[in-house]
Amino acid sequence: MMFKQLFTPIKIGSLTLPNRIIMGSMHTGLDHTDDPFGRLAEFYKERAQGGVSLIVTGGVSPNEEGLIAPGAMMLTEAKQVASYKLITDTVQQQGSHIIMQILHAGRYAKHDHLVAPSAIRSPINRFEPSAMTEAQILQTIDDFVNCADLAQQAGFNGIELLGSEGYLLNEFTAPRTNHRSDQWGGCLENRARFPLSIVRSIREKLGTGFFIQYRMSVLELVEDGWNIEEAQSFAQALETAGVDLINTGIGWHEASIPTIAMTVPRGAFSWATAKIKQAVNIPVAAANRINTAELAEEIIKRGDADMVYLSRPFLADPDFVLKAKQQRSQEINTCIACNQSCLDHLFNNKTVSCLVNPRACHETIYRLKPKTTRPQKIAVIGAGAAGLSFSIEAAKQGHNITLFEAAASIGGQLLLARKVPGKDEFDELLRYFQVMLDKHAVNLQLNSRVDAQQLKAAGFDAVVLASGIKPRKLTLPGSDQANVLSYEQAFNSPEKVGQRVVIIGAGGIGYDMAEFLSHHALNTDPVSEFNNNWGIDADGKQPGALLKNPAKPTKSIRDITLVQRKADKFGRTLGKTTGWIHQVELQKRGVKTLGDLSYNKIDAAGLHITQRGEAKLLPADTIVVCAGQEARDDLADSLVSTFKALYRIGGVNEVRELDAAKAISDAQQLAYQLN
Ligand code: NAP
Ligand code: SF4
């Protein structure tokens, strides 16, 4: 595909950009490392080398109160300028532009001197904000101007003001959080006074040559948020105040509607961006769940936006732009919107990474290696996530790789994951792996079971065992009955699953299974289905774009009970930022959960349990076992005695910590260690 729209240059304010793709702001957690500026510079450098023309940094606070957490980035004094200059110089030497996002966290700040327009605590923060005095408001405006001024001195091409997702500027514009009765609250004109004063003051101080981008909240998706007409009026006021580009934010962090997870259809919110574009004459950028060049092209072609704002896709692939430009979009390592190694890491106080690209934010640790001068002949057994990743990385380095897979296609456990409704993004990962195997000439042998002697006879120098896992079988009486299926059997043959189902095991796979067996495929387009499901007003006319009378949720097509032995809260092992979505979805469909019990036996009537001393029957036509895994290591012993150089990666290595992110990361680390 040519991507004519994406590569049509555009002049915005003082900047002329060769393409329409902005690398969006991301919290990386690098600010909490030993070398924040050095590591950030390398992180951005690789993206600039990959053809991004405009990078937006992670949020930088204009003052102490605005810090998202202690130790986060802040720019308040001239002595800090030199550190930031390392970043701007590095990016601009690659021919890209970089702007600094100014983020005042407002009532989302995780420290005890946080401020907000009114003293209303956020439901997702235990810290209570104090209401800003008039003097504090005026001081904060000055702080924003000072921060922008210092950013200009540090060589940034401009700034982005973060006025969405429920941070301070957004808290002023929203009736939900602004209960003031002075000139900074009440009518829209008053609520907008604070952010507009900031824009005007920055423009006045730094002149027309300084690029100002504003990320405004379009759909708030919370009660007492504004509606699309107010958002349009505010966008017009931003234009008048001197903003060069409007970037469109969707949903507050405290919204109970997903906005970027895998279950959100691609491009689900570009219709809302289009409404802002209709209201103004300056360029507008669309964001949220845009992860392919094809979709980005379509959004611009349709006229929904002038630019696209992609963040996580640049964790997944630093060369996204270059590959699109060279018509190699099939080689793009696509962000699958899992949040597993990016946002989940961040919320667990770990440096961000990426499930499909573990090098992201670790560029100075896993340095790219030149081709080897001593190529090895390596056999890899198993074409799941670990075997595929290792093969590709090792082949890139010039090793001679043969990848053996017993099944008829690559993918291993990923082939099951992709069957879960809302998880079809895994297809992109499979596509990427296949394209890369071909590109790097990995010798793929499907339908091939091999043994140690064959591998020895073929003269391999080393063997990488990536044969994965098999579902754990229960030892419970009756677990060999015909009405008991492993999760693999249920995913592959859903027609064998009856109407009344008990799922044993409520880990990630138990939840996925409940989703798979309860889902009712509707014949509407995915965006309408998503809007109906989550009660979103697709005209945006209601406050917060929330429907007054949302449609009743569609019930499960089966009667499903998810059971676990422990007394813990259900869903504790699910992703930090996505687990709640699965739980809400299943609750809406009427899937039941039952814990704190022991299993006695299975028979034709169902699962017999004891709960708090009482024996019970859970009637079921089918019992699906999602009780974890065992290593598929039948070959291990014979390989150990045949090969000195034998490595294990993925589930066969550490079955308890099995997950695609770990499998890919371990595989790539092993590949980097090869000579
Ligand atoms: P898991 O998370 O370890 O859950 C296994 C479940 O089976 C537990 O709830 C456990 O609960 C139960 N169980 C364990 N041994 C059992 C036994 N002998 N008899 C009966 N029940 C038993 O494993 P998983 O669900 O298979 O997931 C595997 C990996 O894939 C995990 O690392 C998971 O995080 C990952 N994954 C993640 C996602 C995601 O959405 N991020 C999705 C799928 C998989 P009790 O002991 O309380 O009964
Ligand atoms: Fe995308 Fe998942 Fe990587 Fe995050 S971890 S950037 S969501 S693929």
Side-chain angles (χ1 to χ4, degrees):
M1 191 167 173
M2 286 289 289
F3 304 115
K4 191 162 167 279
Q5 307 290 330
L6 280 184
F7 293 97
T8 300
I10 185 168
K11 183 162 176 6
I12 313 175
S14 54
L15 302 183
T16 301
L17 304 175
N19 60 61
R20 304 300 185 95
I21 306 169
I22 303 172
M23 174 175 151
S25 176
M26 283 178 276
H27 303 293
T28 57
L30 288 172
D31 30 349
H32 298 287
T33 61
D34 291 349
D35 179 21
F37 291 97
R39 287 184 66 173
L40 278 168
E42 281 301 305
F43 170 66
Y44 293 130
K45 180 181 172 185
E46 285 200 11
R47 276 78 196 160
Q49 285 172 335
V52 180
S53 58
L54 181 61
I55 292 175
V56 186
T57 67
V60 176
S61 180
N63 59 24
E64 286 268 355
E65 303 85 71
L67 283 173
I68 185 87
M73 305 278 272
M74 182 164 77
L75 182 53
T76 54
E77 295 176 90
K79 67 180 184 199
Q80 296 165 313
V81 162
S83 304
Y84 285 87
K85 205 154 182 356
L86 174 67
I87 294 177
T88 54
D89 285 348
T90 307
V91 169
Q92 288 159 355
Q93 274 158 17
Q94 310 305 319
S96 293
H97 301 93
I98 182 159
I99 63 176
M100 191 185 86
Q101 186 187 73
I102 306 185
L103 158 64
H104 188 304
R107 70 179 195 152
Y108 281 159
K110 300 265 192 285
H111 51 70
D112 49 17
H113 42 282
L114 67 173
V115 295
S118 305
I120 307 168
R121 191 176 65 80
S122 158
I124 57 167
N125 195 1
R126 67 186 170 88
F127 295 98
E128 185 109 26
S130 60
M132 293 166 83
T133 61
E134 170 97 6
Q136 278 177 310
I137 291 177
L138 296 175
Q139 180 59 53
T140 306
I141 295 171
D142 287 349
D143 291 344
F144 270 86
V145 178
N146 176 53
C147 187
D149 186 10
L150 294 171
Q152 190 184 44
Q153 290 173 35
F156 285 101
N157 300 95
I159 49 150
E160 174 174 80
L161 292 167
L162 182 51
S164 57
E165 278 89 18
Y167 291 113
L168 184 73
L169 304 187
N170 199 181
E171 288 160 20
F172 267 89
T173 53
R176 175 182 178 82
T177 39
N178 185 342
H179 292 187
R180 301 181 74 97
S181 53
D182 58 6
Q183 61 161 335
W184 308 99
C187 63
L188 177 61
E189 192 188 342
N190 282 359
R191 283 183 276 125
R193 193 180 305 282
F194 176 65
L196 292 176
S197 300
I198 290 171
V199 173
R200 277 195 291 262
S201 305
I202 293 174
R203 181 57 80 215
E204 207 177 291
K205 169 97 182 179
L206 300 179
T208 48
F210 192 66
F211 182 82
I212 304 178
Q213 176 169 310
Y214 194 100
R215 182 166 169 93
M216 65 168 282
S217 183
V218 178
L219 302 180
E220 314 249 54
L221 305 181
V222 286
E223 273 178 33
D224 297 328
W226 64 15
N227 65 18
I228 198 76
E229 278 141 17
E230 285 187 302
Q232 285 173 320
S233 302
F234 181 66
Q236 288 162 348
L238 286 175
E239 180 176 1
T240 309
V243 161
D244 294 306
L245 184 143
I246 290 175
N247 175 21
T248 49
I250 307 292
W252 286 36
H253 287 321
E254 66 203 56
S256 43
I257 295 177
T259 54
I260 58 169
M262 205 189 293
T263 46
V264 179
R266 289 178 179 177
F269 302 109
S270 68
W271 62 269
T273 302
K275 291 197 187 273
I276 298 300
K277 184 166 158 51
Q278 286 153 19
V280 295
N281 298 305
I282 49 174
V284 174
N288 289 52
R289 283 296 277 127
I290 304 169
N291 62 344
T292 68
E294 287 77 7
L295 174 62
E297 174 79 4
E298 192 187 313
I299 286 171
I300 296 175
K301 193 169 174 191
R302 213 165 43 218
D304 288 357
D306 305 281
M307 306 284 295
V308 286
Y309 189 90
L310 277 53
S311 301
R312 294 173 300 169
F314 284 103
L315 291 176
D317 197 331
D319 294 328
F320 185 104
V321 177
L322 201 63
K323 289 176 180 175
K325 188 174 177 193
Q326 295 172 346
Q327 294 171 49
R328 295 188 289 127
S329 63
Q330 287 299 301
E331 290 182 23
I332 292 176
N333 198 0
T334 304
C335 164
I336 59 171
C338 62
N339 284 358
Q340 229 173 293
S341 302
C342 52
L343 287 173
D344 285 354
H345 272 207
L346 203 65
F347 286 100
N348 286 318
N349 297 320
K350 284 163 72 180
T351 303
V352 160
S353 175
C354 172
L355 180 144
V356 303
N357 174 28
R359 272 196 80 244
C361 300
H362 293 76
E363 291 74 12
T364 56
I365 295 168
Y366 308 125
R367 295 268 179 202
L368 291 174
K369 290 175 76 174
K371 285 232 174 206
T372 181
T373 50
R374 290 187 296 165
Q376 299 182 50
K377 184 175 172 184
I378 303 174
V380 181
I381 303 175
L388 287 162
S389 286
F390 173 84
S391 300
I392 292 162
E393 280 311 312
K396 267 190 209 169
Q397 289 170 29
H399 296 287
N400 178 345
I401 307 294
T402 303
L403 173 58
F404 297 98
E405 168 57 51
S409 49
I410 64 166
Q413 296 294 297
L414 298 175
L415 293 171
L416 302 181
R418 65 174 286 281
K419 292 183 188 236
V420 180
K423 290 204 168 181
D424 42 2
E425 288 286 2
F426 277 105
D427 283 344
E428 296 294 349
L429 185 52
L430 289 166
R431 181 262 310 151
Y432 172 75
F433 280 141
Q434 186 61 62
V435 170
M436 288 293 123
L437 290 178
D438 296 343
K439 183 176 168 96
H440 297 291
V442 171
N443 177 11
L444 174 64
Q445 300 288 321
L446 295 172
N447 302 305
S448 294
R449 278 189 192 281
V450 282
D451 61 32
Q453 288 317 312
Q454 283 169 304
L455 296 176
K456 178 136 183 92
F460 286 102
D461 302 314
V463 175
V464 175
L465 186 60
S467 47
I469 50 88
K470 53 193 174 194
R472 175 180 287 129
K473 281 191 176 163
L474 298 182
T475 50
L476 199 62
S479 48
D480 52 356
Q481 292 209 146
N483 61 344
V484 182
L485 300 179
S486 70
Y487 64 81
E488 206 166 53
Q489 289 169 315
F491 274 129
N492 288 330
S493 311
E495 70 286 354
K496 290 188 182 157
V497 181
Q499 277 307 111
R500 268 186 319 180
V501 186
V502 169
I503 298 173
I504 292 185
I509 293 185
Y511 268 88
D512 277 354
M513 181 55 65
E515 182 76 39
F516 177 68
L517 295 177
S518 64
H519 190 77
H520 192 11
L522 299 173
N523 289 326
T524 50
D525 79 275
V527 176
S528 308
E529 187 178 337
F530 175 78
N531 288 342
N532 286 338
N533 194 20
W534 290 96
I536 299 172
D537 169 23
D539 288 326
K541 290 195 173 146
Q542 299 298 326
L546 297 180
L547 284 174
K548 271 194 193 137
N549 299 308
K552 283 216 160 67
T554 316
K555 288 288 166 196
S556 167
I557 54 169
R558 293 183 175 87
D559 175 345
I560 299 174
T561 308
L562 190 55
V563 296
Q564 68 178 17
R565 295 170 301 182
K566 52 186 158 306
D568 292 12
K569 231 173 119 193
F570 269 73
R572 283 187 64 168
T573 59
L574 299 178
K576 189 121 183 157
T577 61
T578 51
W580 68 272
I581 305 170
H582 301 300
Q583 291 186 292
V584 171
E585 289 265 23
L586 294 182
Q587 268 164 19
K588 283 201 271 188
R589 285 190 214 141
V591 171
K592 293 166 281 214
T593 52
L594 205 62
D596 192 10
L597 44 82
S598 59
Y599 307 134
N600 302 332
K601 65 171 184 176
I602 296 172
D603 61 20
L607 176 67
H608 295 259
I609 61 163
T610 299
Q611 194 184 33
R612 290 172 218 116
E614 192 188 336
K616 289 183 193 169
L617 166 69
L618 300 180
D621 310 317
T622 310
I623 315 286
V624 182
V625 181
C626 302
Q629 294 77 21
E630 289 161 5
R632 200 189 289 273
D633 58 359
D634 325 355
L635 275 181
D637 289 346
S638 58
L639 288 170
V640 168
S641 55
T642 316
F643 285 93
K644 255 201 217 146
L646 170 68
Y647 309 94
R648 298 173 191 230
I649 52 173
V652 75
N653 183 39
E654 181 51 84
V655 73
R656 276 172 309 164
E657 289 180 33
L658 161 81
D659 94 38
K662 186 159 191 322
I664 293 174
S665 164
D666 286 356
Q668 295 204 358
Q669 284 186 38
L670 176 62
Y672 293 140
Q673 283 162 24
L674 295 175
N675 287 321

